[in-house]
Each structure stands twice: as C-alpha cells, then as structure tokens.
Amino acid sequence: QEQLVQSGAEVKKPGASVKVSCKTSGYIFSDYYMLWARQAPGQGLEWMGRINPKNGDTNYAQKFQGRVTMTRDTSISTVYLEMRSLRSDDTAMYYCARAGPIAAAIIWGYYFDFWGQGTLVIVSS
Amino acid sequence: DIQMTQSPSSLSASVGDRVTITCRASQGIKNDLGWYQQKPGKAPKRLIYSASSLQNEVPSRFSGSGSGTEFTLTISSLQPEDFATYYCLQHNSVPPTFGQGTKVEVK
C-alpha cells in the first residue's frame, strides 16, 4: 500500500529552523518526484518545491528560494523539507505529496497524486 | 504564474442536491487540471485528474469536465460525506497553482 508518513508537529521561535520528514513506502522511491506544499490556517494551498529522489535535483517556488532546502535519503526512502529564518507567517500545515513518474511527461512532475498526513509547524515567540 | 479562480467560494446544499463548482485559469492549460477534496484537519484527497478522469477509489457521483481555461466539478447527488472544501490544481506550467477553494456546507 502506497503511503507517505510525515514527522510530528513542531513549535519553533522566530528565526529558528525546522526540518520535516516524509517517509515513503509501497512503491519505488526513486521512480516518482516528490512535492511539498503548505497551507496556512484557514487558507488555501501553496506549492513550495519539488525534488527528484533519483538524483536529488530540486526546484523551488521563487517565494522560498534561499530559505528552503529539500533533500532525500534513498537508504530509508525519505524526503526532507528544511526551512530557515522562520517567521510567524510560516505557521502552517506542511504537506509532502507524491507526483507523477519521473519517466512520464513533464506535466506529471507537478501533479499532486497522493499526500502525506501533514505536519503542523507553529512559529511563535 | 497562472491564476486559478474558483467559484463560488462557498455554497450551501442539501443531501441529494446536484452541485457544480467552476475553476477558471488565467491562460490555457489544456486538460492539465486536477480536483481535490479536503475535510477539516485532513490532507487533500485526489478526486479527478486530466480534468475529467476519475481516480479509481472515487465514487461515480463525482465528475469533471472542461479544457483550456474553464473547468467544472459536478457532484450529481450530494452525500453526507461530501461536505468538504474542494480545490482545483493546474499542473500545466510551473509553478503549479491551486484555486482558492470552494466550501460545500450543509443547507
């Protein structure tokens, strides 16, 4: 059964960093892109970036360039999202999602297929 | 960036009603559009891909249509478990962008 399981909730102070994990199972890790998105309380969904688990290549939304790093550990089929210099408006639910196959047409690399359960990050002094 | 505009932002309906939600793209996206359902405190769940193809696990009362810039999600007979917020997503160009959501509430 294909599954994405994210790490638990975090409470951070402004200026700190956070690292969220997303453990995958039930499919071949290196065959599919992974996406990250976030949702502020009561708000809509916002794409943050993408990682290719096969080679580690990333691309980030312009808004998060320089503040976000996505990595992966192929030995445990897990991807990570690290965000630095946290602000109060970074308080949100952070989601990983599996995208389409790396071998498929480009458009499927940005399709949110199925999602992790979310990780709540609260930034508060 | 492509802007996705959903309408209405919310609606009130009763069990058994037919419900239609519209999503408009600021430029043509062919049929590179998905629909998602989100319940409070839960992650979004995929419903439809390629504008009109139903995901395997999704009941047939859900359907999607459209191409280019205008798309619709229809629930033919609303069930109690369908009260939720619905989002469209365009993945035709980077960055992928979501509509702002449509909340379907009990009338």
Side-chain angles (χ1 to χ4, degrees), chain B residues 1-95:
Chain B
D1 298 3
I2 295 177
Q3 306 304 315
M4 304 300 292
T5 303
Q6 279 184 242
S7 59
S9 55
S10 66
L11 64 90
S12 298
S14 302
V15 172
D17 284 353
R18 182 181 182 88
V19 168
T20 299
I21 298 167
T22 298
C23 189
R24 287 190 175 87
S26 60
Q27 61 192 75
I29 59 169
K30 300 180 183 177
N31 68 337
D32 301 330
L33 183 113
W35 288 99
Y36 300 83
Q37 177 193 69
Q38 187 178 34
K39 295 183 178 178
K42 299 292 188 182
K45 173 190 164 187
R46 62 192 182 188
L47 296 177
I48 285 171
Y49 65 97
S50 297
S52 60
S53 297
L54 207 63
Q55 292 281 1
N56 284 343
E57 67 276 14
V58 176
S60 59
R61 63 181 179 273
F62 290 91
S63 64
S65 65
S67 68
T69 61
E70 187 146 341
F71 303 86
T72 60
L73 172 70
T74 300
I75 309 171
S76 60
S77 177
L78 198 66
Q79 297 302 300
E81 60 269 29
D82 300 336
F83 292 99
T85 299
Y86 294 85
Y87 293 93
C88 62
L89 161 76
Q90 73 78 19
H91 57 101
N92 176 263
S93 68
V94 185

Side-chain angles (χ1 to χ4, degrees), chain A residues 12-80:
Chain A
K12 297 292 182 180
K13 294 196 182 304
S17 298
V18 69
K19 192 170 186 176
V20 178
S21 67
C22 171
K23 182 167 178 59
T24 76
S25 60
Y27 69 94
I28 299 173
F29 177 67
S30 58
D31 280 358
Y32 294 83
Y33 290 107
M34 290 295 293
L35 304 164
W36 288 92
R38 75 177 186 180
Q39 186 172 37
Q43 302 302 308
L45 295 155
E46 178 177 35
W47 175 72
M48 299 181 70
R50 184 183 81 166
I51 184 167
N52 178 335
K54 179 170 282 189
N55 59 17
D57 284 353
T58 55
N59 62 312
Y60 304 125
Q62 191 170 7
K63 175 177 180 176
F64 300 106
Q65 288 271 6
R67 207 160 65 93
V68 156
T69 302
M70 296 174 189
T71 56
R72 92 287 192 216
D73 185 337
T74 56
S75 68
I76 54 172
S77 300
T78 298
V79 294
Y80 301 91

